[in-house]
Amino acid sequence: MPLGRTIPALPVTAVSRAVATYADRLGFTVVHLDPDGFAIVVRDGAEIHLWQAGDTGWRRRPADQLAAAPVRTGAEDFIAGTASCRIACDSPAEVDALHAELAAAGVLHPADPGAAVDTDHGTREVNALDLDGNLLTFFAASTGG
């Protein structure tokens, strides 16, 4: 049975703030916003689901209780910003254009070298971070590769 497309689901600390960042700085459109902590954003053919990792209950537990009953709700706030996804573009030129757009928006990864990068595995890539630090890698097959 063939598999279909994948849709990343990224943990964020506050969905309302995250969707604003995706819309205002990353060029996505919000197509669904649930007040209980879930959103869907799209840009062209890319779709990303954002879910609120907002459980702060673990912070109120004494340290000696954490060993006996580890944190494991799956929605702890420390999970936000620990995910990544790769988003395919049609051409290296699109990746270059995205680099310029994302640089102007101030969302490039702090280690950005100043231009999109050709990798050893045949792609041209640019990395950006969302408000929480989730990594978004935009890529296309390198020309000639």
Side-chain angles (χ1 to χ4, degrees), residues 13 28 37 116 127 130 134:
T13 54
F28 283 77
N127 295 306
D130 72 9
N134 292 307

Side-chain angles (χ1 to χ4, degrees), residues 22 34-35 70 76 89 91 121 134:
Y22 275 82
D34 183 331
E76 295 82 13
C89 299
S91 71
H121 52 274
N134 292 307

Side-chain angles (χ1 to χ4, degrees), residues 19 27 32 37 51 56 73 87 91 99-100 110 132:
V19 296
H32 176 79
W51 62 277
T56 60
T73 66
I87 301 169
S91 71
H99 184 278
D132 288 288

Side-chain angles (χ1 to χ4, degrees), residues 1-131:
M1 168 181 271
L3 300 177
R5 70 183 181 131
T6 60
I7 300 171
L10 305 180
V12 297
T13 54
V15 169
S16 59
R17 285 192 339 231
V19 296
T21 298
Y22 275 82
D24 299 340
R25 299 177 75 192
L26 291 163
F28 283 77
T29 299
V30 180
V31 296
H32 176 79
L33 178 56
D34 183 331
D36 291 324
F38 178 75
I40 299 172
V41 295
V42 298
R43 177 171 175 172
D44 305 318
E47 179 175 322
I48 297 175
H49 293 186
L50 304 171
W51 62 277
Q52 189 154 319
D55 180 0
T56 60
W58 66 274
R59 294 176 187 264
R60 295 183 295 278
R61 291 170 53 197
D64 61 337
Q65 290 181 9
L66 289 174
V71 174
R72 58 178 166 234
T73 66
E76 295 82 13
D77 62 346
F78 60 77
I79 295 172
T82 63
S84 65
C85 66
R86 295 176 58 80
I87 301 169
C89 299
D90 287 336
S91 71
E94 287 182 7
V95 174
D96 291 335
L98 263 173
H99 184 278
E101 175 188 329
L102 299 174
V107 293
L108 290 175
H109 190 281
D112 180 76
V117 174
D118 289 317
T119 69
D120 292 340
H121 52 274
T123 60
R124 186 157 182 83
E125 301 185 354
V126 60
N127 295 306
L129 297 177
D130 72 9
L131 182 64

